[in-house]
Amino acid sequence: MATDLSPTARALRAIEILQARPGATAGELAAGLGVTERAARRYVEILREAGIPVESARGPYGGYRLGRGTRLPPVVFTEPEALGLVMAVLDGHPAAADADDLVGSALSKVIRALPEGVGRQAAALRAYASAAPDRDAARPDPATASALVAAVAARRRVLVTYRNDAGKQWEAEVDPWAVVVRHGRWYLLCHSHQADAVRTYRIDRIRGIERLEHEFEPPRDLDPVAALEENLGVGWEYATRVVFDAPLAVVARWVRPPMGRLEASGDGCVLVGSTSNPAMYAQEWLARLPFAFRVEGGPELHAAVATVAARFTAALTPPRVE
């Protein structure tokens, strides 16, 4: 907590703490405000003098809470909070620099609502900070993402209509475990009943959602990010198997989870997985590895690597002299 906040800013911060933690003790309030317990009690009195009812209860389960029906002032950001918010938006959505963009329009409203001094700094940051677009980012329709999050929260099964990058479309009845954002892409981590297995779907490729009546319980020890990383490289249409002579510890630094599972094999290691796009696997993933390797499977990946190899070989072939 910053120590140079004004009394007004601390009073507003006290309201935020009581909103977030009803029943906060004087000690918790003091820690959140960066003041002594005596000063924290004084801020409670300031709020009461301003007409904001703050109730208190004594005893081991006592503390402060806002009175029911309290009408609170509008949200107020400190300058670091406002600038941090603008930076986070531009970092995650570079197009927000344009006021005509959907997120950019929302950001404009936030900036206009800020106090003049803070708003001026936030507007300047937005105007003069250039954000490079992430070519790999693929943000879904907000309504689709919201519907999936609601199904996750309600623990209700859904029927999704999905279209992969090759244009193939199908329906899948799934238990939506979590929505995970990874490197600018939004994924649905779920259990597919048709496949009876964990699946990951790009949310920007989901074309329809129907919430069903069935309820479900997600795994108790579920780590959504770890589960997503583990499953991005399995369950796809084309099998992959790549052998390296280099030690596993050396290769592992270059292998991302979506590429598959890396296992020790003699003095080297083997990468086993699957992909829906062998050409991408060969051109974008294997071509960047600084090791010799052999493609043992499947035939689609073998053909894709052969195409890349032929293209590179042709680039080194001297022109014929007539």
Side-chain angles (χ1 to χ4, degrees), residues 87-173:
M87 291 170 67
V89 171
L90 293 178
D91 182 47
H93 190 85
D98 183 355
D100 292 331
D101 176 77
L102 177 65
V103 177
S105 175
L107 183 59
S108 296
K109 294 178 181 179
V110 172
I111 291 175
R112 286 197 297 269
L114 294 172
E116 182 179 356
V118 176
R120 188 185 310 114
Q121 292 293 327
L125 176 62
R126 189 240 193 120
Y128 294 103
S130 299
D134 183 353
R135 291 178 298 176
D136 294 327
R139 294 174 182 84
D141 173 57
T144 301
S146 178
L148 288 171
V149 168
V152 171
R155 298 185 176 182
R156 294 280 291 276
R157 190 178 300 175
V158 294
L159 180 68
V160 299
T161 303
Y162 191 79
R163 180 182 298 164
N164 65 14
D165 59 345
K168 181 181 178 182
Q169 183 167 303
W170 68 90
E171 290 186 338
E173 193 171 307

Side-chain angles (χ1 to χ4, degrees), residues 25-115:
T25 65
E28 292 170 338
L29 193 57
L33 296 175
V35 299
T36 64
E37 289 191 23
R38 181 178 179 181
R41 293 189 183 93
R42 176 55 187 154
Y43 279 110
V44 170
E45 292 305 317
I46 290 174
L47 294 178
R48 287 170 173 165
E49 292 168 4
I52 298 175
V54 180
E55 301 172 351
S56 60
R58 297 182 180 278
Y61 302 104
Y64 296 105
R65 67 183 65 245
L66 296 174
R68 290 188 178 182
T70 303
R71 296 187 63 185
L72 299 176
V75 176
V76 177
F77 296 103
T78 64
E79 183 174 311
E81 287 174 339
L83 298 180
L85 178 61
V86 174
M87 291 170 67
V89 171
L90 293 178
D91 182 47
H93 190 85
D98 183 355
D100 292 331
D101 176 77
L102 177 65
V103 177
S105 175
L107 183 59
S108 296
K109 294 178 181 179
V110 172
I111 291 175
R112 286 197 297 269
L114 294 172

